Amino acid sequence: MEPKVLAFIVVPIVAVMPLASIFLVPLLWRTVGSILGWYVRRKTEGRRAQIVELMEGDVRRHNERTRQPTSSTSSINSSSDESDGWENVDASTAGTASNGEKGEEDWDGIVGFFHPFCNAGGGGERVLWAAIRATQQRWPKAKCVVYTGDHDASKDAILARVENRFNIHLHPPTVNFLYLSTRHWVLASTWPHFTLAGQSIGSLIMAWDAFSLLVPDVFVDTMGYAFALGLCKFLFRDVPTGAYVHYPTISTDMLDSLNPESAVGDQGVNAGQGVGRRGAIKRAYWNLFAKIYSLMGASVDVVMTNSTWTQAHIQKLWGPLRRESQKVNPIVVVYPPVAVSEMEQEIEVSQESESKREKVLLYLAQFRPEKNHQLILQSFAEFVKTKTEAAKDAKLVLIGSVRDDHDSKRVYKLRLLVNELHIRDRVEFHLDASWPDILDWLRKASVGVNGMWNEHFGIGVVEYQAAGLIAVVHNSGGPKLDIVVDVDGEPTGYHATNSTEFAEGFEKALSLPNPSAVRLRARQSAKRFTEEEFAKRWITQVEALVALRKKSVAAAKKR
């Protein structure tokens, strides 16, 4: 072939390749995703039909046992009224049926809740169960399916634990559990190196496992697995996705903490580790991960965060790409549900009840490393050594759930630390305590403690305030920005950063001349975080997901 002819052919091809790649690569990416999604849907159609049939059968049997009308709505409302008397979610905002279509209250789709550790018993699980209860009351005919890895717990056992731990009563017939076989892929122990990336890859494996069991109509992640949401949107573009973000997987504070000279260079489990060659690799790795994490967040249709601190970080990471992808739903704060109303009924806060309070400092938190129980123990030991009147006979009580062997070993090490600090007779551990037991301690305690740096929200801190405890919390995150704030210009608690400041906070909290005034202000502050307020905000966001699903179904019918 003549060189001139060859040039006329090759040069145009080379010239258009960059432009072609801009259009062809995304098209190819979407095509591959659609094909894989079609395959998974086709594969799971039979199981979906079986699950729907099973749940509808459970509803009929439940109605027969309770001798209620066959309407699912009547059954659920009756069950809720009998179980806990919690008010139904206001459905006045629901759309009305038109053109022969079903109204929103009659929506009977499947909402998939991705929460692989649903039986852990922590604050994140309270959000899950309160969200399911609100969804059931808003859409009585909807099916709520939880993807979990808790193979050792049956449906009855999980729901019984929910009632015992959180006093949340669900409608069993419209809740089901699908058990994942791949949860070990998201454990930190599976990825001793490059843990952030490894666990995110593990969440992709786990999400594929979930979709291989059932493809829901709406997919909501309530644990923080953004990559699972990205995979959902890759495979099923017509399935709306929602995220309830408790804590960003990576944050700008985490990136800054690698620098020992930064303002937060001495905070967190990776504090000051960004120096030297190894540190440079870690910084580059974290920055690359943050970019990919932002891409995943840009794909989510509805994003809820649990605090203004989390919202600010998610806005910074996900916001720019979400705006580019024209996501219309803003990132909103939906405060987690706290049993404020129940505590107001169960726990008296007055001058008369002050005599029943003991010199007990209470720390409600799962025994995870980031909860920094060591700091609180060291602070308490420092406080005891002061031998002041406030420190005399003071006691520290640690209450929290234990998820696995790692948590058990952590508790063992904390007990050893208690012995080393010579405060064994002043510290008590209560593992996996029931809700009634927790209430008893909240009645007796005087001070509530939280030692975690950048606690995303702090449900335990709100529980302290609702119970009238004076909070001494870390000067960061949700406890600082959202919870332990002034009321009418007067404090509701104290902030601290190190062991000395915490010890000083304990001294102040136990030396107040009129503690009941502070307790009443704290309780007033806690009213912002009720279960009812959570339900209303949650439903507003899920209504947007249901509307998106109905829109995609209507569009599919027209094709």
Side-chain angles (χ1 to χ4, degrees):
M1 184 178 290
E2 292 291 330
K4 288 184 178 181
V5 176
L6 186 63
F8 277 116
I9 297 174
V10 174
V11 171
I13 293 175
V14 172
V16 300
M17 278 183 64
L19 185 63
S21 65
I22 294 175
F23 295 100
L24 292 179
V25 171
L27 178 62
L28 179 63
W29 179 257
R30 286 196 297 269
T31 302
V32 171
S34 297
I35 292 172
L36 287 173
W38 173 85
Y39 166 75
V40 172
R41 264 207 175 103
R42 186 77 176 270
K43 176 184 173 184
T44 59
E45 282 178 354
R47 184 181 289 110
R48 178 188 175 97
Q50 290 176 348
I51 291 172
V52 171
E53 183 179 357
L54 173 66
M55 296 179 80
E56 289 179 349
D58 287 345
V59 170
R60 288 193 297 271
R61 285 187 289 273
H62 177 84
N63 290 336
E64 291 171 0
R65 285 197 304 270
T66 55
R67 295 183 180 180
Q68 295 294 324
T70 56
S71 166
S72 299
T73 305
S74 300
S75 173
I76 291 179
N77 288 343
S78 174
S79 175
S80 298
D81 291 341
E82 290 172 4
S83 60
D84 63 359
W86 184 50
E87 66 180 15
N88 290 332
V89 176
D90 183 9
S92 61
T93 59
T96 56
S98 62
N99 299 325
E101 297 179 357
K102 291 187 294 184
E104 284 191 18
E105 287 182 61
D106 293 328
W107 186 71
D108 58 358
I110 297 176
V111 183
F113 290 87
F114 195 66
H115 204 108
F117 296 87
C118 75
N119 206 34
E125 286 65 58
R126 176 184 282 278
V127 169
L128 168 68
W129 305 122
I132 290 177
R133 178 167 67 172
T135 303
Q136 286 184 320
Q137 292 184 319
R138 176 62 180 82
W139 293 280
K141 294 182 180 179
K143 286 86 177 171
C144 297
V145 173
V146 181
Y147 300 99
T148 181
D150 295 302
H151 287 266
D152 57 339
S154 66
K155 172 179 174 178
D156 290 341
I158 292 174
L159 296 184
R161 179 173 167 82
V162 171
E163 291 186 16
N164 181 52
R165 174 67 180 87
F166 301 116
N167 196 31
I168 292 177
H169 300 260
L170 302 177
H171 184 55
T174 54
V175 182
N176 210 337
F177 296 86
L178 296 180
Y179 293 88
L180 307 171
S181 60
T182 53
R183 192 175 73 176
H184 62 281
W185 286 103
V186 297
L187 298 178
S189 57
T190 305
W191 308 92
H193 305 290
F194 298 99
T195 307
L196 284 178
Q199 288 182 305
S200 297
I201 292 170
S203 71
L204 291 172
I205 297 171
M206 197 165 52
W208 177 267
D209 185 11
F211 298 136
S212 296
L213 295 172
L214 173 73
V215 180
D217 298 308
V218 171
F219 185 63
V220 182
D221 166 59
T222 49
M223 273 203 74
Y225 293 114
F227 283 69
L229 295 166
L231 179 63
C232 181
K233 193 58 71 173
F234 172 64
L235 296 174
F236 318 108
R237 299 182 67 82
D238 62 335
V239 174
T241 55
Y244 188 93
V245 185
H246 296 273
Y247 197 88
T249 304
I250 191 166
S251 68
T252 52
D253 281 353
M254 286 175 62
L255 295 170
D256 291 342
S257 72
L258 294 176
N259 181 4
E261 297 180 0
S262 71
V264 293
D266 60 344
Q267 300 288 347
V269 295
N270 292 283
Q273 294 186 13
V275 296
R277 181 184 300 176
R278 187 184 183 92
I281 294 173
K282 193 178 190 73
R283 285 199 312 273
Y285 156 53
W286 274 20
N287 278 289
L288 175 61
F289 181 84
K291 288 182 172 61
I292 300 173
Y293 181 63
S294 299
L295 282 172
M296 298 299 105
S299 71
V300 185
D301 293 305
V302 169
V303 180
M304 297 167 269
T305 65
N306 64 346
S307 68
T308 54
W309 182 90
T310 306
Q311 182 193 42
H313 283 274
I314 291 296
Q315 285 275 24
K316 195 167 186 178
L317 289 166
W318 293 3
L321 287 177
R322 286 179 62 80
R323 286 190 290 272
E324 287 182 20
S325 58
Q326 298 181 336
K327 293 295 181 183
V328 297
N329 295 298
I331 298 172
V332 299
V333 175
V334 177
Y335 288 127
V338 185
V340 173
S341 301
E342 179 183 355
M343 289 190 185
E344 289 179 339
Q345 296 172 1
E346 295 283 345
I347 300 176
E348 181 185 358
V349 178
S350 64
Q351 288 284 2
E352 291 74 21
S353 66
E354 195 64 33
S355 60
K356 300 176 184 177
R357 298 278 181 180
E358 302 174 11
K359 285 186 180 180
V360 171
L361 289 81
L362 183 64
Y363 192 8
L364 289 173
Q366 288 181 321
F367 288 98
R368 305 204 311 261
E370 62 270 22
K371 295 299 182 180
N372 210 351
H373 288 82
Q374 295 94 327
L375 172 62
I376 300 305
L377 289 173
Q378 291 161 355
S379 304
F380 182 68
E382 196 170 321
F383 171 59
V384 170
K385 287 179 181 178
T386 64
K387 297 183 179 180
T388 63
E389 186 62 29
K392 184 181 179 181
D393 298 325
K395 181 188 296 184
L396 174 64
V397 176
L398 307 178
I399 298 179
S401 58
V402 175
R403 301 168 298 172
D404 50 32
D405 289 340
H406 294 287
D407 286 354
S408 297
K409 292 176 182 176
R410 196 168 293 114
V411 172
Y412 175 72
K413 290 180 180 178
L414 291 173
R415 292 183 188 274
L416 292 178
L417 179 59
V418 166
N419 288 331
E420 293 172 8
L421 294 171
H422 306 292
I423 52 175
R424 182 177 179 180
D425 59 335
R426 299 283 201 103
V427 179
E428 292 185 20
F429 289 81
H430 295 271
L431 312 182
D432 295 317
S434 67
W435 181 242
D437 289 340
I438 292 172
L439 284 175
D440 285 341
W441 280 110
L442 287 168
R443 289 189 189 96
K444 293 186 289 187
S446 293
V447 178
V449 184
N450 183 286
M452 179 177 171
W453 172 64
N454 273 346
E455 173 80 87
H456 42 283
F457 177 68
I459 286 180
V461 180
V462 179
E463 290 175 341
Y464 298 155
Q465 291 193 328
L469 274 65
I470 299 167
V472 181
V473 299
H474 199 282
N475 191 31
S476 63
K480 174 187 178 181
L481 298 174
D482 291 316
I483 306 173
V484 185
V485 297
D486 289 354
V487 172
D488 297 328
E490 297 291 335
T492 58
Y494 302 97
H495 304 111
T497 302
N498 53 47
S499 60
T500 300
E501 291 179 1
F502 269 100
E504 292 172 351
F506 300 158
E507 176 72 26
K508 292 176 184 177
L510 290 174
S511 303
L512 289 168
N514 184 17
S516 63
V518 183
R519 299 189 198 284
L520 289 169
R521 283 200 299 271
R523 170 165 281 189
Q524 179 64 32
S525 177
K527 291 181 183 293
R528 297 171 292 145
F529 311 112
T530 63
E531 292 174 320
E532 294 85 355
E533 187 61 31
F534 167 81
K536 292 174 184 176
R537 295 190 180 196
W538 171 267
I539 288 302
T540 298
Q541 300 306 312
V542 178
E543 280 177 341
L545 293 173
V546 171
L548 285 172
R549 178 59 183 172
K550 294 175 75 174
K551 183 178 179 181
S552 63
V553 170
K557 288 180 179 179
K558 291 179 180 178
R559 289 198 294 267

